[in-house]
Amino acid sequence: MSAKKMEEENQSQMLPEEMIAEVFLRLPAKSVGRFRCVSNRWNYLLTQPQFVKSHLNLTKQHPTTEESLILVSHDSMNSYSTQLNNAHHMFDKMTCFATKLTFDDHLFYPSYSLYGSCDGLILKVDYSNRKKLFLINPTTREFKELPSLPYALDPRICHTVYGLGYDSVKDDYRVVVISHYDTHNNEIEPGCNEMFVDVYSVGNGTWKRVDSSPYDHTISDFEAGAFVNGSIHWLARRTVDDSYVIAAFDLREEKFRELPLPSLVDSDKHVVGDFDDEVEEDLVFDKLVSLGGYLCGYPEFLDNYQSINAWIMKKYGVREFWTKIFVSDDPYLSFRPICLYKKKQMVLVMHEGNTDEKLAIYNSEDGTLKDIVVDGIPRGFSVGVSFMETLVSPHCSNEAV
């Protein structure tokens, strides 16, 4: 039998591509990545934009999907990821295994240089190199260096906040950068208090400057914005009266709007953070994070504390739907929620000493904390961000998201 005849016969015995795609859509992203290496035909099929998008949607809808975590070793500065859905449960603790990540010289160190995730993509800021920005998919091992901001302020005399999100209308991932001059070290534009806003389109590969923010973002300097409901959120102040608000940047409209803070009527009425003593308004939290698709606030530092609570906005944009979740009455506890486990238990990053961190799961139903033990990483690590394991590429264009 000729080679051409054999090839035609083999092709006739192959399953239709539609059926093959349906099978692979049910597999985890890492498994799909391995099957991309089997043949050119499968690689082409499994990298098609529509397949990547369908796989992402099914991953989000799957009831057992859990987020993974980025961990950074203090000793080696190597980066690791760990999956909570593979954890082993034993009485009062969970044990999971960490896998080392390799990105040539582009490490996730230090952990505070990671500014949130969206659909498997992570935003990284390289502080050692004039705040260069990278988009990284830890699952597919892809990364992309973003072009420099054309109107960037001098990084030596400015402060910046960052955010990453997805515009579902334009089918595009966006990076938002809010920058302002350091009021104590600004000889270039003395007295300039403007909050400049730059937006990067992953689909177009371009930056553009939009209208400046009407809010004062200095209290969120170096903070990652929380992406929820099509907007990226930061804690900010109104410039007219210094009152606190949640400033939400709508990625579709490219404009800011306000979200209400929780009412203090049912709170402990403690003051959070080391803010201006002249401001009489109390805050119940000073950090924001996206938690299971909900906006969540939590305190980093407390003054006049009574208890430590996290707040979750169960109905977006409605003050009355802020729900208080008691975490602890330990005055020495410092924590931050990083993701949800099984859709309802909070995974917390707990601080130990000056640098080391540990993981725990808080069950709000019975008020218990369960330690998470991580094997496979040297003792002493910090926790970066949580992310969903997907096939979304940081190189995607408008036709390939």
Side-chain angles (χ1 to χ4, degrees):
M1 184 181 295
S2 66
K4 183 177 181 181
K5 188 86 171 176
M6 290 179 62
E7 183 179 354
E8 291 176 352
E9 184 173 331
N10 289 336
Q11 289 181 349
S12 66
Q13 294 174 355
M14 289 182 180
L15 293 173
E17 288 190 350
E18 295 79 6
M19 188 175 296
I20 296 175
E22 284 298 318
V23 173
F24 285 125
L25 283 174
R26 270 68 183 173
L27 296 180
K30 285 183 178 178
S31 298
V32 175
R34 287 191 287 267
F35 280 111
R36 284 176 172 178
C37 303
V38 171
S39 68
N40 290 334
R41 178 174 178 249
W42 280 12
N43 181 64
Y44 174 80
L45 176 64
L46 302 180
T47 54
Q48 288 300 295
Q50 190 54 52
F51 177 85
V52 172
K53 186 181 298 183
S54 298
H55 187 274
L56 172 65
N57 292 335
L58 283 176
T59 300
K60 287 182 174 181
Q61 296 167 10
H62 201 283
T64 61
T65 296
E66 299 289 351
E67 293 186 77
S68 297
L69 306 177
I70 295 290
L71 312 176
V72 181
S73 168
H74 291 156
D75 293 336
S76 64
M77 296 185 292
N78 288 324
S79 306
Y80 297 77
S81 69
T82 184
Q83 292 180 297
L84 295 179
N85 57 342
N86 292 332
H88 300 285
H89 298 259
M90 291 187 64
F91 304 109
D92 60 344
K93 69 178 181 180
M94 289 173 53
T95 302
C96 52
F97 187 80
T99 303
K100 186 177 178 181
L101 298 173
T102 54
F103 285 93
D104 298 325
D105 293 331
H106 298 275
L107 302 178
F108 286 112
Y109 181 86
S111 61
Y112 61 76
S113 66
L114 307 181
Y115 280 84
S117 67
C118 179
D119 291 348
L121 298 179
I122 293 176
L123 178 62
K124 150 86 175 182
V125 181
D126 187 352
Y127 284 105
S128 66
N129 193 2
R130 297 183 64 85
K131 298 183 180 178
K132 280 189 176 294
L133 299 176
F134 294 86
L135 281 177
I136 307 172
N137 185 326
T139 307
T140 63
R141 304 296 200 266
E142 294 179 276
F143 65 87
K144 174 184 180 180
E145 180 182 338
L146 273 57
S148 300
L149 278 75
Y151 307 108
L153 305 183
D154 187 333
R156 296 170 298 178
I157 58 172
C158 78
H159 296 297
T160 313
V161 296
Y162 303 91
L164 171 65
Y166 175 67
D167 178 0
S168 60
V169 175
K170 295 183 179 179
D171 197 16
D172 192 13
Y173 292 92
R174 306 286 184 87
V175 174
V176 179
V177 176
I178 304 175
S179 53
H180 64 92
Y181 286 109
D182 183 348
T183 56
H184 302 293
N185 183 29
N186 177 17
E187 298 179 356
I188 298 178
E189 292 284 348
C192 178
N193 297 317
E194 192 167 359
M195 299 285 159
F196 301 100
V197 181
D198 295 281
V199 181
Y200 178 78
S201 164
V202 176
N204 296 329
T206 57
W207 287 98
K208 72 173 177 179
R209 176 154 289 183
V210 299
D211 292 341
S212 295
S213 173
Y215 302 99
D216 180 355
H217 292 266
T218 55
I219 62 172
S220 293
D221 280 346
F222 308 108
E223 292 296 323
F227 176 67
V228 176
N229 204 48
S231 297
I232 303 177
H233 306 77
W234 294 273
L235 196 65
R237 279 176 168 170
R238 295 189 184 99
T239 56
V240 292
D241 59 5
D242 271 349
S243 59
Y244 295 109
V245 296
I246 295 174
F249 183 77
D250 188 303
L251 292 179
R252 181 171 64 90
E253 299 290 339
E254 295 182 340
K255 294 180 179 178
F256 281 92
R257 66 178 186 279
E258 291 182 12
L259 261 66
L261 289 162
S263 170
L264 292 176
V265 174
D266 298 320
S267 75
D268 293 324
K269 293 189 178 181
H270 50 250
V271 179
V272 177
D274 184 19
F275 299 122
D276 191 343
D277 293 336
E278 296 180 0
V279 179
E280 296 181 356
E281 183 177 3
D282 292 346
L283 279 173
V284 293
F285 54 71
D286 61 344
K287 302 290 181 183
L288 294 174
V289 66
S290 174
L291 212 60
Y294 296 102
L295 189 63
C296 173
Y298 64 99
E300 183 176 43
F301 302 107
L302 299 178
D303 295 329
N304 303 324
Y305 59 83
Q306 292 185 21
S307 63
I308 301 175
N309 308 300
W311 294 75
I312 295 180
M313 186 177 251
K314 291 297 184 68
K315 187 173 181 180
Y316 184 78
V318 182
R319 182 195 297 269
E320 290 74 22
F321 280 83
W322 277 110
T323 302
K324 180 173 66 173
I325 299 177
F326 172 79
V327 176
S328 175
D329 55 7
D330 182 353
Y332 302 104
L333 176 67
S334 178
F335 80 100
R336 60 183 171 100
I338 192 167
C339 64
L340 291 183
Y341 177 69
K342 295 190 179 298
K343 312 300 182 186
K344 58 182 180 180
Q345 299 180 56
M346 283 195 297
V347 179
L348 305 178
V349 181
M350 318 284 284
H351 293 274
E352 288 188 327
N354 295 327
T355 57
D356 289 352
E357 295 178 335
K358 70 173 185 177
L359 293 164
I361 283 186
Y362 177 71
N363 189 331
S364 60
E365 295 181 353
D366 57 17
T368 58
L369 274 173
K370 179 185 290 188
D371 287 339
I372 301 177
V373 178
V374 184
D375 290 335
I377 183 173
R379 183 182 178 90
F381 61 84
S382 55
V383 184
V385 295
S386 64
F387 68 97
M388 184 183 300
E389 296 194 351
T390 75
L391 301 169
V392 176
S393 173
H395 300 284
C396 58
S397 66
N398 279 338
E399 291 77 29
V401 174

